[in-house]
Each structure stands twice: as structure tokens, then as C-alpha cells.
Amino acid sequence: MDDSSGHNVWRSYSDMMSGLLLLFILIMAVCLLQAQKNYTEKLAEQALASQTQNQLEESQNTVAQQESELADTKAQLDEQASQLNEQQDQLARQTSALEKLQKELESKQVTLSERESELNASQSLIAQQESELASSQAQLDEANDLMEQQQARIDQIIGVKANLISALSTEFKNNNINVAIDEQTGAISLDASVLFDFNESVLTDAGKKALDQILPTYCSVLLSEEYAGYIAEIIIDGYADTTGDYITNLQLSQDRAYAVAQYLYDLRGSFLSSEKGDALLSMLTANGKSSSNPIMNEDGTVNDDASRRVEVKFRLKDEEMLEELQQLINESQTGTQTSTNSETAETAASPDADSAS
């Protein structure tokens, strides 16, 4: 009896503890499930909050962009409004100017009507002047004949240089001297390599021999009776190549020009009279041109060999020729001025002259 009763107590105690343990486990499971649910809901709320924050930032960026675009649009609208105001002002000015022009046009139309009546009155005067013009045509023909004669004299003066260059070419050809003459200027170019050794200014024997042929022929034609009166200057220009510095080339080119001039000075007595020799010295000049005006190849590069040269040329008495041309022009103008003045006086005497002009 006692053993059974003790056994039952322990069994009841064990059942009770088992029930408590099961209840504790059940409570723990419920708590864990609730905690898991709360954690899941918290994560969902955080994700929703983050998404909401991102959407809010995007909305703010969109709003900021829209505000910027709105500001740009407002600035454009303000600029367009300013331009519109300016155009309206310009339109107002143009309208005012147009109204002014309209008034001027109406005034000119009145003036035109008056001029038309004056023109009709002037036609009779024009008919009279046409008859006077016919009588003046004979005088004009006579003046044209005089102009043709004077033009012939002008052509003769202008042709002096061409004739002189032609005479030089013929004389060189007749003397079998092979030298090229510039057809525009009449200048002859002498190769420095023939006249001088490289970088020297003393004439070589070959150079002296060439000058013995060329200079007497050239100067004899210039100082001939036919052309001497037209010659103002006989020029000898020395040129160096483009190598070296400018001052050194200037000195070398001057020395070479002077050497040729000196040789011509010494040679003049052998082919010129004393009078013509003095005339030559009064016209002769020598100049150094350094490396200026180099001779170019066809490809545009400098031909240094050809650039080393001495040129002999002449200058006509341009000022005297121009004065003579001006005198001829003045004579022709004087011949027609009297007729013009007469016609002007007759026109001024007419009462309708101003209206017809």
C-alpha cells in the first residue's frame, strides 16, 4: 500500500513536470515564432522604408531637375519677351519711318508731276540744241583728227623703250654675242661664276673677255644719237645668293658691281668718244643688292647659282616723258575746252536750262 502510494506520487510528479516542460517548450516555440514574425515584419518595414526613401530621393531629384528646367524655360521666356519688346520697338520705328517715307513719296509725286510739265517744255529746247549739236559735230571731228595726231606722238614716245630693247637684241645678234635681254626691262644678266671666282670680287680673265664684248655693245646702243636723249641712268646691280648673312652678301655684291663699273670706266675710251664717255659717267651707277630678288627654280626653290649675278640695265627719263605726255594731253584738252565753255554759256542763258537738267 505504501509502495504503491509512493509510486503514484512520483508518477504524478513526473507527469506534472512533463506537462510543465511541454508547456515551457510550447511557450518557447510561440515566443520564437512571434520573434521570427516580428523580425520578418521589421525587415519588411526596413525594406519598405528604404524603397520609400529611394523613391523620395528620386522624386526630389526629379523635382530639382524640373525646377532647373523650369528656371531655364523662364529665362528663355524672359529673353524671348525681351526680344519681342525689342522687335515691337523696331516695328514701331519702321512704321514711323514708313509713314515718313510715304509722305516723302507723296511729295515727290507732286514734284514729279511738276517736272513732267517742265520736261515737256524742255523738249523744244532739246530739239534746238540737237540742231546746234549737229553743227558742233564738224568741230568735234576736227578735234578728233588733232587727237589722232597727238596719239601718234604719244605712241612714239611710249615705243621708245620697246624700240631700244629691240635695237639691243639686234646689235647683240649682229655681233654674235649670246646674251639674254629682258624684253620688259631691257636688262642683261651676267653669270657671276663667269665673271668672278666663288666668293671673290676680282674679275677673272674669262669675265673680262665677256665684258669686252657685252659692255661696249650695250652702252653704244644706249648712247647712240637715236636713244641717248631718253636715257636717264645706266645701272649695274650686283646680287649674291641666299647663303651667308645679309651684310656679307651686301659687301660682296657691292664689290662685284663696283668691279664691273670700274672695268667699264677703264674700257669706255676704247669704244666711246670723249663726249659720250663723259655722258656715260654722268649716268653710271653701281649698287649692291645682297641676296634680294633671288632667281627661283620651277619648283619654287632658290637657284643659288643663277642668283649669283650682275645685272646691267637702264632707266629712261620717265619724268621728262610723263611731262611731255601731260603737255600733249593739256593741248588736246585746250582744243576742246573752248567748245565746251561755249555750249555751257548757251545752256545757262536759256530760261529752262535748270528745269531740263
Side-chain angles (χ1 to χ4, degrees):
M1 181 65 177
D2 291 336
D3 291 334
S4 176
S5 180
H7 178 75
N8 289 333
V9 171
W10 280 109
R11 183 175 182 179
S12 297
Y13 180 77
S14 176
D15 291 338
M16 182 183 66
M17 292 301 294
S18 297
L20 290 174
L21 180 60
L22 180 60
L23 179 60
F24 178 77
I25 291 173
L26 181 59
I27 292 171
M28 288 295 295
V30 170
C31 291
L32 287 175
L33 289 175
Q34 185 63 38
Q36 180 66 33
K37 179 181 179 181
N38 292 338
Y39 180 75
T40 303
E41 290 177 351
K42 186 68 174 179
L43 290 179
E45 289 177 357
Q46 290 179 351
L48 180 59
S50 177
Q51 182 178 1
T52 304
Q53 182 65 29
N54 292 334
Q55 291 177 351
L56 180 60
E57 291 177 354
E58 290 178 357
S59 298
Q60 290 176 345
N61 292 335
T62 302
V63 170
Q65 182 177 359
Q66 290 176 348
E67 289 178 348
S68 176
E69 293 176 352
L70 182 60
D72 293 340
T73 303
K74 186 177 182 303
Q76 292 177 358
L77 290 175
D78 292 339
E79 182 179 358
Q80 291 175 354
S82 176
Q83 293 176 354
L84 181 59
N85 292 333
E86 182 179 353
Q87 290 174 354
Q88 288 176 343
D89 293 339
Q90 184 177 4
L91 180 59
R93 292 194 297 269
Q94 291 176 348
T95 301
S96 177
L98 183 60
E99 292 175 354
K100 183 178 179 181
L101 289 174
Q102 182 65 30
K103 293 180 180 179
E104 291 178 356
L105 179 60
E106 291 174 357
S107 175
K108 288 182 179 180
Q109 286 176 344
V110 174
T111 303
L112 181 60
S113 298
E114 295 174 353
R115 291 291 178 88
E116 286 178 350
S117 62
E118 293 175 355
L119 181 61
N120 293 330
S122 300
Q123 287 178 344
S124 59
L125 177 62
I126 294 174
Q128 180 182 356
Q129 291 177 344
E130 285 178 349
S131 63
E132 293 174 353
L133 181 62
S135 63
S136 300
Q137 186 64 42
Q139 298 178 358
L140 182 59
D141 293 339
E142 183 179 353
N144 286 336
D145 293 338
L146 179 61
M147 287 290 293
E148 290 177 357
Q149 295 174 4
Q150 293 172 344
Q151 184 64 46
R153 293 176 60 191
I154 293 173
D155 292 340
Q156 181 181 5
I157 294 174
I158 295 176
V160 166
K161 190 169 188 178
N163 293 337
L164 178 54
I165 294 173
S166 177
L168 287 169
S169 299
T170 301
E171 193 67 19
F172 278 120
K173 183 178 181 181
N174 291 341
N175 287 279
N176 295 321
I177 300 175
N178 184 19
V179 61
I181 300 179
D182 190 305
E183 296 181 356
Q184 300 297 323
T185 65
I188 57 176
S189 181
L190 307 177
D191 190 348
S193 64
V194 176
L195 301 179
F196 307 98
D197 290 330
F198 183 76
N199 207 31
E200 295 293 336
S201 59
V202 178
L203 286 168
T204 63
D205 292 338
K208 294 177 180 179
K209 184 177 180 181
L211 294 179
D212 287 339
Q213 294 180 316
I214 295 172
L215 292 180
T217 302
Y218 193 80
C219 293
S220 294
V221 174
L222 296 182
L223 298 173
S224 64
E225 296 296 331
E226 184 177 0
Y227 300 110
Y230 294 98
I231 304 299
E233 189 177 12
I234 298 174
I235 306 164
I236 299 175
D237 286 337
Y239 293 88
D241 58 27
T242 56
T243 60
D245 64 88
Y246 180 86
I247 297 301
T248 300
N249 288 335
L250 180 61
Q251 184 65 50
L252 179 61
S253 63
Q254 287 177 337
D255 293 343
R256 288 179 172 180
Y258 293 158
V260 175
Q262 179 67 50
Y263 195 76
L264 176 58
Y265 175 85
D266 297 336
L267 188 65
R268 73 189 190 286
S270 64
F271 66 94
L272 292 176
S273 64
S274 176
E275 181 180 356
K276 289 188 176 181
D278 292 340
L280 171 64
L281 296 183
S282 68
M283 302 175 186
L284 183 62
T285 61
N287 310 287
K289 299 293 187 177
S290 188
S291 55
S292 61
N293 299 323
I295 304 299
M296 310 301 291
N297 293 314
E298 292 181 357
D299 60 359
T301 59
V302 176
N303 186 333
D304 284 327
D305 291 336
S307 297
R308 293 188 289 270
R309 67 196 188 279
V310 175
E311 289 186 355
V312 183
K313 54 188 178 182
F314 61 87
R315 181 176 63 84
L316 297 179
K317 296 178 180 179
D318 296 330
E319 294 181 355
E320 296 178 7
M321 293 176 67
L322 291 176
E323 289 176 359
E324 186 171 355
L325 286 171
Q326 186 62 49
Q327 182 179 356
L328 292 174
I329 293 172
N330 291 338
E331 290 175 358
S332 64
Q333 290 178 344
T334 302
T336 58
Q337 187 65 39
T338 303
S339 175
T340 303
N341 291 338
S342 177
E343 293 177 358
T344 303
E346 292 177 358
T347 302
S350 173
D352 295 333
D354 293 336
S355 298
S357 61

Coordinates of all heavy atoms in Angstrom, one line a residue, residues 8 40 84 94 132 135 147 184 195 215 229 270 293 307 320 329:
N8 N 2.8 6.3 -7.1 CA 1.8 7.1 -7.8 C 2.2 8.6 -7.6 O 2.0 9.4 -8.5 CB 0.5 6.9 -7.2 CG -0.1 5.5 -7.6 OD1 0.3 5.0 -8.6 ND2 -1.0 4.9 -6.7
T40 N 10.7 39.3 -39.2 CA 10.4 39.4 -40.6 C 9.7 40.7 -40.9 O 9.9 41.3 -41.9 CB 9.5 38.2 -41.0 OG1 10.2 37.0 -40.6 CG2 9.2 38.2 -42.4
L84 N 11.0 90.2 -78.1 CA 9.7 90.6 -78.6 C 9.5 92.1 -78.4 O 9.0 92.8 -79.3 CB 8.6 89.8 -77.9 CG 7.1 90.1 -78.4 CD1 7.0 89.9 -79.9 CD2 6.1 89.3 -77.6
Q94 N 10.1 101.3 -87.6 CA 9.9 101.1 -89.0 C 8.6 101.7 -89.5 O 8.5 102.2 -90.6 CB 10.0 99.6 -89.3 CG 11.5 99.1 -89.1 CD 11.5 97.6 -89.3 OE1 10.5 96.9 -89.4 NE2 12.7 97.1 -89.4
E132 N 22.0 122.4 -132.9 CA 23.3 123.0 -132.6 C 24.4 122.0 -132.4 O 25.6 122.2 -132.8 CB 23.2 123.9 -131.3 CG 22.3 125.1 -131.4 CD 22.1 125.8 -130.1 OE1 22.5 125.2 -129.1 OE2 21.4 126.8 -130.1
S135 N 25.8 121.0 -135.7 CA 26.7 121.9 -136.3 C 28.1 121.8 -135.5 O 29.1 122.1 -136.1 CB 26.2 123.3 -136.1 OG 26.0 123.7 -134.8
M147 N 43.5 114.9 -132.1 CA 43.8 113.9 -131.1 C 44.5 112.7 -131.7 O 45.4 112.1 -131.0 CB 42.5 113.4 -130.4 CG 41.8 114.4 -129.5 SD 42.8 114.7 -128.0 CE 42.6 113.1 -127.2
Q184 N 61.0 93.0 -121.1 CA 60.2 94.1 -120.4 C 61.1 95.2 -119.9 O 60.7 96.4 -120.0 CB 59.5 93.4 -119.2 CG 58.5 92.3 -119.6 CD 57.4 92.8 -120.4 OE1 56.9 93.9 -120.3 NE2 57.0 92.0 -121.4
L195 N 82.2 85.7 -114.3 CA 82.9 87.0 -114.0 C 83.9 86.9 -112.9 O 85.0 87.5 -112.9 CB 81.9 88.1 -113.7 CG 80.9 88.4 -114.8 CD1 80.0 89.5 -114.4 CD2 81.6 88.8 -116.1
L215 N 79.7 94.9 -122.8 CA 79.5 96.2 -122.3 C 79.6 97.3 -123.5 O 78.8 98.2 -123.6 CB 80.5 96.6 -121.2 CG 80.3 95.8 -119.9 CD1 81.4 96.3 -118.9 CD2 78.9 96.1 -119.3
G229 N 69.2 110.7 -125.7 CA 68.4 111.8 -125.1 C 67.3 111.2 -124.2 O 66.8 112.0 -123.4
S270 N 87.9 103.0 -125.3 CA 88.1 102.1 -126.4 C 86.9 102.1 -127.4 O 87.1 101.6 -128.5 CB 88.5 100.7 -126.0 OG 87.4 100.1 -125.3
N293 N 65.9 89.6 -104.4 CA 65.4 89.2 -105.7 C 66.1 87.9 -106.2 O 66.7 87.9 -107.3 CB 65.6 90.3 -106.7 CG 64.8 91.5 -106.3 OD1 63.7 91.4 -105.8 ND2 65.4 92.7 -106.6
S307 N 71.3 83.0 -109.0 CA 71.1 84.2 -108.2 C 72.4 85.0 -108.1 O 72.4 86.2 -107.9 CB 70.6 83.8 -106.8 OG 69.3 83.2 -106.8
E320 N 60.6 113.2 -117.5 CA 60.5 114.1 -118.7 C 59.5 113.6 -119.7 O 58.8 114.3 -120.3 CB 61.9 114.2 -119.4 CG 62.9 114.9 -118.5 CD 64.3 114.9 -119.1 OE1 64.4 114.5 -120.3 OE2 65.2 115.3 -118.4
I329 N 48.5 116.1 -123.5 CA 47.1 115.9 -123.1 C 46.5 117.3 -122.8 O 45.3 117.6 -123.2 CB 47.0 115.1 -121.8 CG1 47.4 113.6 -122.1 CG2 45.7 115.1 -121.1 CD1 47.6 112.8 -120.9

